[in-house]
Amino acid sequence: MATNNELKNKSISIDEDFTLFDPKLPTPHYSTFLNLVDKVKSELPAKRVGIIDDYINSLNFTNDIEDLKLRTVLSVLRDLLVQEWRIKLNFNGKVLLAPSELVNTSNKLYLRQQLQIERNAQLQKDSIKKFIKRMEKTKKYNNHLISIKNLIGDPNVILNRINNNEDIFNIVEPYIQIVSKERCGLTGYKLSEIWRYFRYTWSIPYKSTPGRNIFYLIRDAAQPFHPIIGISALGNSVLQLTNRDNYIGWTLRSIKENIKQKEQEISYEECLKGCSHKSRKITKKIALESKTEYRQRIDEYSNCVISRLSYFINQALSEVYYSDLLTPQQVEKPDPETLKHIERTLELIKNKQLNNKRSNSNSTLLEDAQSPLFTKKRANELHKLLEAKFQFQAICEQYDNPTDTLKKLVNFKGGKIINIALQANRKRKIGSNMMEIIVCGAIPPYNELLGGKLVSMLTTSPTVISDYNKRYSNQVSEIASRMNAAPVIRDSRLAFLGTTSLYHSGSSQYNRIKIPAKYGEIVYKKIGDTEGFGSVFFSDKTTELINDMLITIDGGRKINNVFGEGTSPRMRLMRSGLSVLGISENFIKHHTKRIIYGIELASNTKEFLNGTDEELNYFYPLDGNEELYTEEIIDYWKTRWLLPRLTRQSTMEKLSNFNANSILVSNYV
């Protein structure tokens, strides 16, 4: 007779698109869950959400933990059905769910509609409704009647200039403006409020992000009040993104490729003997370097890599305060007993990390470092680094030849030592020398003039690089300083920008962007795909229920949105909650691949990020002429992208039909 697990596996194999949705609930609550599924599975998707809402409201919930779990399960199910997930029962009565069939068809309209559901729910919050009403209300400023509509471009001004055959350089006059605490001198609105309002016009819900952020408005000086052409923002980069990390050279895979002898694969047609009219395709590899050249290169490369790996490990150790945990001798020459000592420390403090508080403004860095949160983080980091150092030293002592040493490191425990060393370097660089383009796009009617490409180009400009370098060059790193119990100021020269498309078919505003700079070309390069996880499709109600459930179970908060606990608190909350409920992580996958773009800002970006170069050779030098170089980018956009667009009859028609009222956020409130 088949076991339960065998039945589960068999049911999953019925349709690979479907995933088992089998929450851990006691029998009465599980029966309630199944009764609901039985009601909705045969209904049309449009009716299912209403049935679940009515069902939840009809149940008499108590404060009992099992009741809380049931409410949370039903809320998760509701959110999935809002996204049009398919639902059915397998042959033994277990619930199976699968994403909408439209997900894998690169259907932009479907994805946009799904994102708008949560965005529209967000706009129903009283504080946001009040903000929108204030921004759209007419006020008097500098003897002018002003509302946010004054910051929406007037297509008639553009059309009149086109019809009057004005010079292309006068039709639109873009400039980039960093968002600060100041007010706009033309409208009286805070720059941050202008940016926020126009961000709400997009289909994607607006979520603030912790850490480093820098925001920009791109405006048009050719019109009164300088309306908004587009907005952009930079935020902290994703800590781990495999295709990006392979591209930069931060992975074991990249080292494995470099220690191979260089070869080229060639293909050609060969006539078959005795049959002149028939041929076969031959593929073979030819060496691009002799054995002597290979040996010389690989010895030099191995020596360099080993030196860098050692430096990365010791550099990371130098930034971790250890006086309350270890002696200098234990850190300099770790041994198995040192590692066991750290393990015992971790065991003692593992249950002390509840209800973490934000750092007290009066507390010292030493006091913060010795808090349960950072003591655990320090002990974990020390254990990982010292284990790598111990094994690294042992292998280096075993081999005299650098190539043999590196090959052993590559093969030792799946390259564990190398991965730890590369991760140590990656963490430093990602937190200070890289940023993610988290917002980038045009505001109508400028989208019809390819304003999105302009925004994308200006986000890589020397003005942005200079702003970033100045803002963060002397900034004390909060987490690193608490790990070190002393101020840590990281090198903050911006070297690389990353971003992802919203749709797998690509992004029209990033496609084919190549900016001729003074010392090379700035290019949006496609460097792979991602099919990651995300919490954007889950409602605030669901995350609140998961939070309440975890607090009840743990006796306190483990995830507190405190800087230092870890990245993506909402995502960590969802993962923890689903794990407790016995629900697969598959339900927080995007299920739509996205294109990863990388933008190198210097000719030696990769060398700098890998630690072989200490200086950056920017494509546009930071020599005091950043504004002039940025103007060159704008002029290039006008000739490369704006001019061809102005010759299209469809562009003129869309500008003529544009109505500023159509993009007001109040339309969705």
Side-chain angles (χ1 to χ4, degrees):
M1 185 175 180
T3 65
N4 287 336
N5 285 335
E6 288 172 339
L7 289 173
K8 285 182 181 181
N9 292 333
K10 186 175 180 181
S11 68
I12 292 172
S13 67
I14 292 172
D15 190 329
E16 291 183 358
D17 288 340
F18 281 81
T19 300
L20 194 66
F21 189 87
D22 193 24
K24 295 177 182 177
L25 295 169
T27 301
H29 294 76
Y30 193 82
S31 297
T32 300
F33 160 70
L34 287 180
N35 286 337
L36 174 61
V37 171
D38 192 55
K39 283 189 175 183
V40 302
K41 65 181 175 61
S42 58
E43 293 287 347
L44 294 173
K47 289 186 177 182
R48 290 173 176 170
V49 175
I51 292 173
I52 293 179
D53 284 337
D54 292 341
Y55 199 79
I56 292 174
N57 292 332
S58 70
L59 295 175
N60 295 318
F61 290 111
T62 67
N63 292 327
D64 177 74
I65 183 58
E66 300 302 339
D67 270 10
L68 184 52
K69 284 183 180 180
L70 175 59
R71 290 178 64 191
T72 307
V73 166
L74 298 183
S75 190
V76 170
L77 179 63
R78 178 196 183 280
D79 290 347
L80 293 172
L81 295 184
V82 164
Q83 304 303 322
E84 298 183 25
W85 280 58
R86 293 168 284 158
I87 185 169
K88 68 179 184 180
L89 298 178
N90 67 7
F91 71 97
N92 63 342
K94 297 293 185 181
V95 179
L96 297 173
L97 294 174
S100 167
E101 292 173 333
L102 293 173
V103 167
N104 297 319
T105 63
S106 300
N107 189 306
K108 291 185 178 182
L109 179 60
Y110 165 78
L111 184 55
R112 191 179 296 119
Q113 288 174 339
Q114 301 315 305
L115 289 167
Q116 282 177 342
I117 292 170
E118 179 61 18
R119 189 281 305 263
N120 292 343
Q122 184 183 62
L123 295 180
Q124 299 307 312
K125 293 183 178 180
D126 289 341
S127 59
I128 295 177
K129 290 166 73 173
K130 185 177 179 181
F131 167 75
I132 293 167
K133 185 177 181 180
R134 176 167 60 82
M135 295 297 286
E136 295 182 1
K137 183 180 179 181
T138 301
K139 66 175 183 178
K140 195 168 184 179
Y141 184 77
N142 283 348
N143 297 319
H144 293 284
L145 292 177
I146 299 290
S147 78
I148 196 66
K149 286 179 67 175
N150 293 89
L151 289 170
I152 299 173
D154 186 347
N156 293 319
V157 173
I158 298 171
L159 288 167
N160 288 337
R161 287 178 177 155
I162 295 171
N163 293 332
N164 292 333
N165 294 316
E166 287 200 28
D167 190 296
I168 184 178
F169 290 94
N170 297 328
I171 292 174
V172 182
E173 297 178 25
Y175 66 93
I176 187 167
Q177 181 178 36
I178 192 169
V179 173
S180 64
K181 295 180 180 179
E182 297 179 0
R183 291 182 179 271
C184 169
L186 298 170
T187 63
Y189 292 119
K190 290 181 180 179
L191 296 176
S192 59
E193 291 183 335
I194 295 173
W195 190 96
R196 179 187 173 195
Y197 180 88
F198 284 105
R199 178 59 183 82
Y200 282 137
T201 66
W202 292 7
S203 61
I204 306 173
Y206 173 51
K207 307 286 185 184
S208 59
T209 56
R212 296 184 176 188
N213 286 283
I214 189 165
F215 302 84
Y216 285 97
L217 298 168
I218 288 76
R219 305 181 69 168
D220 183 7
Q223 293 197 26
F225 306 106
H226 297 188
I228 308 303
I229 295 174
I231 59 174
S232 71
L234 301 180
N236 284 109
S237 294
V238 179
L239 193 58
Q240 187 169 340
L241 198 59
T242 302
N243 283 319
R244 177 203 64 195
D245 296 346
N246 283 333
Y247 174 77
I248 292 172
W250 281 344
T251 60
L252 179 67
R253 172 182 160 185
S254 63
I255 291 178
K256 284 182 176 180
E257 289 298 317
N258 279 318
I259 62 177
K260 292 179 181 178
Q261 188 170 2
K262 292 182 179 179
E263 296 177 323
Q264 182 181 14
E265 190 175 273
I266 60 170
S267 299
Y268 58 91
E269 296 289 329
E270 180 183 75
C271 291
L272 295 175
K273 289 182 180 181
C275 191
S276 60
H277 64 283
K278 289 186 177 182
S279 63
R280 61 177 178 176
K281 188 175 182 180
I282 303 294
T283 300
K284 68 177 184 178
K285 294 180 179 180
I286 58 172
L288 297 178
E289 56 187 349
S290 68
K291 289 184 178 180
T292 302
E293 290 171 333
Y294 168 67
R295 191 68 194 182
Q296 182 180 352
R297 179 183 66 81
I298 198 64
D299 280 346
E300 291 176 359
Y301 175 77
S302 298
N303 197 49
C304 178
V305 170
I306 290 168
S307 176
R308 283 193 291 124
L309 295 176
S310 176
Y311 174 73
F312 295 154
I313 292 172
N314 286 312
Q315 183 186 45
L317 281 169
S318 72
E319 291 188 354
V320 181
Y321 176 72
Y322 60 80
S323 296
D324 57 341
L325 301 173
L326 298 167
T327 66
Q329 293 76 18
Q330 288 174 308
V331 174
E332 182 62 29
K333 195 72 175 175
D335 57 27
E337 185 53 42
T338 301
L339 300 177
K340 288 180 182 178
H341 173 72
I342 291 290
E343 289 168 5
R344 288 193 292 269
T345 302
L346 282 168
E347 187 65 26
L348 288 172
I349 62 175
K350 70 177 184 179
N351 294 321
K352 294 183 178 180
Q353 198 184 334
L354 288 175
N355 302 313
N356 292 316
K357 301 286 193 301
R358 297 183 187 278
S359 297
N360 189 318
S361 58
N362 297 320
S363 63
T364 65
L365 290 175
L366 177 59
E367 289 171 336
D368 289 341
Q370 293 179 327
S371 68
L373 170 61
F374 278 96
T375 299
K376 182 178 179 180
K377 286 175 71 72
R378 288 187 296 116
N380 269 320
E381 189 73 0
L382 286 168
H383 185 271
K384 179 178 66 177
L385 292 170
L386 290 175
E387 182 180 23
K389 185 173 182 177
F390 167 67
Q391 293 166 341
F392 182 86
Q393 289 176 340
I395 291 172
C396 287
E397 290 172 0
Q398 187 180 353
Y399 297 92
D400 295 327
N401 182 279
T403 299
D404 293 338
T405 303
L406 183 58
K407 287 181 177 178
K408 177 63 177 177
L409 289 168
V410 165
N411 295 314
F412 182 76
K413 292 187 176 180
K416 181 178 180 180
I417 300 169
I418 292 177
N419 284 328
I420 290 172
L422 292 177
Q423 183 187 58
N425 175 57
R426 185 176 69 227
K427 284 169 64 176
R428 287 177 60 86
K429 300 297 185 184
I430 283 180
S432 54
N433 303 119
M434 295 173 58
M435 292 289 275
E436 195 80 4
I437 301 174
I438 56 175
V439 174
C440 185
I443 302 299
Y446 292 98
N447 58 324
E448 302 300 340
L449 303 178
L450 295 182
K453 287 195 181 290
L454 173 66
V455 178
S456 303
M457 293 163 73
L458 288 178
T459 304
T460 71
S461 69
T463 296
V464 171
I465 296 171
S466 179
D467 287 342
Y468 177 86
N469 292 1
K470 289 175 183 175
R471 174 177 289 191
Y472 294 112
S473 62
N474 294 312
Q475 179 168 309
V476 174
S477 176
E478 289 191 35
I479 296 178
S481 297
R482 285 164 177 79
M483 291 288 285
N484 192 42
V488 173
I489 298 176
R490 293 264 170 83
D491 178 314
S492 292
R493 289 170 290 172
L494 191 59
F496 183 93
L497 294 173
T499 192
T500 56
S501 64
L502 183 57
Y503 311 107
H504 185 241
S505 56
S507 170
S508 58
Q509 67 182 27
Y510 300 147
N511 190 32
R512 295 182 293 147
I513 290 185
K514 293 182 180 180
I515 307 167
K518 189 170 184 177
Y519 298 119
E521 224 175 28
I522 300 172
V523 182
Y524 273 74
K525 295 180 182 177
K526 295 180 181 180
I527 57 178
D529 294 330
T530 179
E531 191 175 317
F533 293 81
S535 60
V536 68
F537 292 117
F538 287 94
S539 65
D540 289 343
K541 180 62 177 177
T542 297
T543 54
E544 287 172 11
L545 284 168
I546 286 178
N547 191 45
D548 291 344
M549 178 186 71
L550 292 176
I551 290 173
T552 303
I553 292 170
D554 296 328
R557 292 178 185 267
K558 285 187 176 179
I559 300 171
N560 301 273
N561 293 301
V562 172
F563 202 52
E565 275 190 335
T567 57
S568 305
R570 184 181 170 102
M571 175 57 69
R572 288 185 290 117
L573 188 75
M574 289 301 302
R575 286 180 189 272
S576 297
L578 294 185
S579 177
V580 166
L581 294 169
I583 297 174
S584 169
E585 244 187 24
N586 196 48
F587 296 107
I588 51 175
K589 287 189 73 172
H590 290 306
H591 290 282
T592 53
K593 290 184 178 180
R594 299 178 179 184
I595 297 173
I596 304 168
Y597 294 89
I599 306 102
E600 297 170 52
L601 302 175
S603 60
N604 63 335
T605 286
K606 289 183 181 179
E607 291 81 0
F608 176 80
L609 294 176
N610 281 293
T612 56
D613 285 3
E614 293 186 1
E615 298 298 325
L616 279 164
N617 301 323
Y618 284 117
F619 290 124
Y620 277 114
L622 303 184
D623 57 6
N625 295 307
E626 288 83 5
E627 289 188 16
L628 177 63
Y629 298 140
T630 300
E631 281 297 324
E632 289 180 6
I633 293 175
I634 293 171
D635 290 345
Y636 175 72
W637 168 78
K638 289 180 178 180
T639 55
R640 172 66 180 87
W641 298 107
L642 177 62
L643 182 58
R645 184 52 62 114
L646 295 178
T647 62
R648 293 186 178 186
Q649 182 59 34
S650 60
T651 301
M652 303 302 103
E653 291 174 357
K654 288 176 181 177
L655 288 174
S656 298
N657 295 328
F658 176 72
N659 182 349
N661 290 322
S662 65
I663 67 167
L664 293 178
V665 185
S666 57
N667 293 328
Y668 305 97
V669 174

